[in-house]
Amino acid sequence: AQKVTQAQTEISVVEKEDVTLDCVYETRDTTYYLFWYKQPPSGELVFLIRRNSFDEQNEISGRYSWNFQKSTSSFNFTITASQVVDSAVYFCALSEGDSGNTGKLIFGQGTTLQVKP
Amino acid sequence: NAGVMQNPRHLVRRRGQEARLRCSPMKGHSHVYWYRQLPEEGLKFMVYLQKENIIDESGMPKERFSAEFPKEGPSILRIQQVVRGDSAAYFCASSPQVDYGYTFGSGTRLTVV
């Protein structure tokens, strides 16, 4: 059965610290897609990244970086030099891509990140 | 290019009333998904539609909930005879194709009093 686990419920850091949000997934599919979304206090969901199961290259986008490791079924997200504006709930999600896939996302429970000035 | 538009942003209904939530996908997107975020819970898939067709409704409650995506006009999520437990944020997302990645709307926050 498919599942996404974000074990960290809440993280609090001081501005400029680096922080890593963990995401562990379970799936039997060989083709799948992993996502991260940000939900700031205003409530909308902001797409951050999509990664398919055949691309294990790490990705960096500004202060954001993602570490995908199939061997440990993890897709962790690191924010470097955190800022107060990074305070939000972050969701990791999985979409299974084998036959019959409909693109629906299975979300983790989310990690609430608080960055203090 | 406008994003996914959801309205209303906030909706208050009394128990037993009907709630109608609207979602206009991004231009060129023919795949629409609805998700629900209950208080203190994560986001849960409800239904996936393409124009005039429900493709996957495995996450929809068996009673009182329905969804449509007509040939013309927005997608509608309809909740009949609302109860307090329906109070949640309802998000719509659209995509040009399966697994391309979604763009979510800003959500409709339903409060049942």
Side-chain angles (χ1 to χ4, degrees):
Chain A
Q2 63 274 28
K3 186 179 178 182
V4 177
T5 302
Q6 295 179 252
Q8 305 149 307
T9 305
E10 292 184 19
I11 301 176
S12 182
V13 299
V14 177
E15 208 170 19
K16 297 184 183 175
E17 285 185 16
D18 298 348
V19 58
T20 295
L21 283 59
D22 297 334
C23 174
V24 174
Y25 62 91
E26 296 176 29
T27 179
R28 293 184 187 149
D29 282 20
T30 54
T31 302
Y32 52 89
Y33 303 85
L34 296 164
F35 302 81
W36 276 94
Y37 284 87
K38 173 182 179 181
Q39 188 174 40
S42 52
E44 70 271 25
L45 286 160
V46 179
F47 169 81
L48 296 178
I49 190 171
R50 168 187 180 269
R51 177 53 52 88
N52 76 58
S53 53
F54 299 107
D55 180 5
E56 288 193 71
Q57 277 193 324
N58 291 331
E59 179 149 345
I60 298 174
S61 177
R63 296 183 297 105
Y64 294 171
S65 62
W66 290 269
N67 184 332
F68 176 30
Q69 293 200 339
K70 285 178 80 169
S71 60
T72 56
S73 297
S74 64
F75 186 43
N76 296 336
F77 172 32
T78 297
I79 302 174
T80 303
S82 59
Q83 300 176 1
V84 173
V85 293
D86 296 327
S87 297
V89 182
Y90 291 87
F91 292 98
C92 179
L94 164 72
S95 174
E96 295 184 316
D98 285 351
S99 62
N101 172 46
T102 61
K104 71 182 180 186
L105 296 180
I106 298 109
F107 282 87
Q109 289 294 97
T111 297
T112 300
L113 174 65
Q114 183 182 34
V115 181
K116 298 177 181 176
Chain B
N1 187 14
V4 177
M5 304 300 293
Q6 286 190 252
N7 65 81
R9 287 294 303 273
H10 300 276
L11 181 62
V12 179
R13 284 287 177 266
R14 295 187 183 280
R15 281 179 293 171
Q17 290 184 321
E18 178 180 287
R20 292 171 68 88
L21 287 61
R22 295 176 190 77
C23 169
S24 297
M26 288 184 69
K27 188 177 181 181
H29 288 196
S30 59
H31 301 250
V32 167
Y33 300 80
W34 285 93
Y35 287 79
R36 178 166 66 173
Q37 185 175 27
L38 289 162
E40 307 305 321
E41 292 191 22
L43 288 138
K44 304 291 185 188
F45 167 79
M46 298 183 76
V47 62
Y48 161 46
L49 310 102
Q50 294 182 27
K51 281 288 186 182
E52 299 185 275
N53 290 302
I54 296 173
I55 308 301
D56 181 353
E57 55 181 348
S58 58
M60 287 279 270
K62 293 285 186 279
E63 297 177 351
R64 302 187 297 106
F65 285 73
S66 62
E68 62 177 13
F69 189 15
K71 189 176 180 181
E72 302 291 337
S75 175
I76 305 288
L77 179 67
R78 183 181 176 205
I79 311 172
Q80 295 178 293
Q81 299 174 341
V82 296
V83 300
R84 289 237 170 94
D86 297 332
S87 295
Y90 292 82
F91 288 93
C92 165
S94 74
S95 175
Q97 61 192 62
V98 172
D99 285 326
Y100 188 80
Y102 296 168
T103 300
F104 278 93
S106 298
T108 293
R109 274 123 189 109
L110 171 66
T111 302
V112 180
V113 298

